[in-house]
Amino acid sequence: MLKAGLSRRTFIGGSVVLGALLTNFRFAKAFVAPSLPYRRKKIANIRELRTHRPIMFNYPDENSPAILVKIGRPAIGGIGPDKDIVAFSALCTHQGCPIQYSRGRFICKCHYSMFDPAKNGQTYQGHASEWLPQIRLRLDRKGNIYAEAIEGLVWGRVINLLPK
Ligand code: FES
């Protein structure tokens, strides 16, 4: 009887944790998406960056535009001395239009969705319901900035790494 009660409790507890993971999509994809075999790619050196001046690059492949930017305030996943350097896919999660960086936010001019670069690319206005995929960055001792993985699905893809 006691054993059955413990099993039930364990099952219910496990179900609650699993349910929380599955209902919080951002949390779940933070664990799932970066596990793909992404390649490491140098984007820029920290000395090249100026606050609010984005640098365009492509990641995880040459058909996927992305933006690196120093936003001037600490960001989730931000690197550098001020933790304010972040990178994101530059394709809007609504219908894939190019997004632009403007005064501390990302804007899609097709239908005016807006995304917060300090909060994992959270969408806070417009038609887009998915957050912008954030690119995981690494800074080496020489100040080189590398893209290492991407969290979230790039617009228009079923998997971020296309077959070669
Ligand atoms: S494509 Fe960006 S808001 Fe519609």
Side-chain angles (χ1 to χ4, degrees), residues 134-154:
Q134 185 165 8
I135 295 167
R136 188 187 295 168
L137 300 175
R138 181 172 300 278
L139 182 66
D140 73 10
R141 290 182 186 172
K142 295 178 180 174
N144 294 317
I145 299 169
Y146 296 88
E148 289 199 325
I150 186 162
E151 298 175 356
L153 194 58
V154 173

Side-chain angles (χ1 to χ4, degrees), residues 13-109:
S15 299
V16 169
V17 170
L18 183 61
L21 283 174
L22 293 177
T23 54
N24 188 337
F25 183 64
R26 289 291 299 179
F27 187 67
K29 67 183 179 179
F31 282 94
V32 174
S35 66
L36 290 170
Y38 291 105
R39 69 191 168 98
R40 194 175 199 218
K41 179 179 181 179
K42 182 182 171 187
I43 307 170
N45 188 279
I46 197 167
R47 289 186 292 275
E48 300 168 37
L49 295 182
R50 301 288 175 269
T51 303
H52 302 310
R53 298 242 181 110
I55 292 176
M56 299 300 297
F57 66 107
N58 295 308
Y59 194 80
D61 57 48
E62 294 310 308
N63 298 314
S64 185
I67 297 180
L68 173 76
V69 64
K70 178 175 170 61
I71 64 172
R73 60 188 161 116
I76 298 171
I79 63 165
D82 302 320
K83 305 289 180 216
D84 64 344
I85 299 169
V86 290
F88 289 87
S89 167
L91 296 178
C92 179
T93 57
H94 178 224
Q95 290 182 353
C97 286
I99 54 123
Q100 297 171 1
Y101 179 82
S102 176
R103 285 179 275 164
R105 62 194 173 174
F106 290 118
I107 302 174
C108 174
K109 292 193 173 173

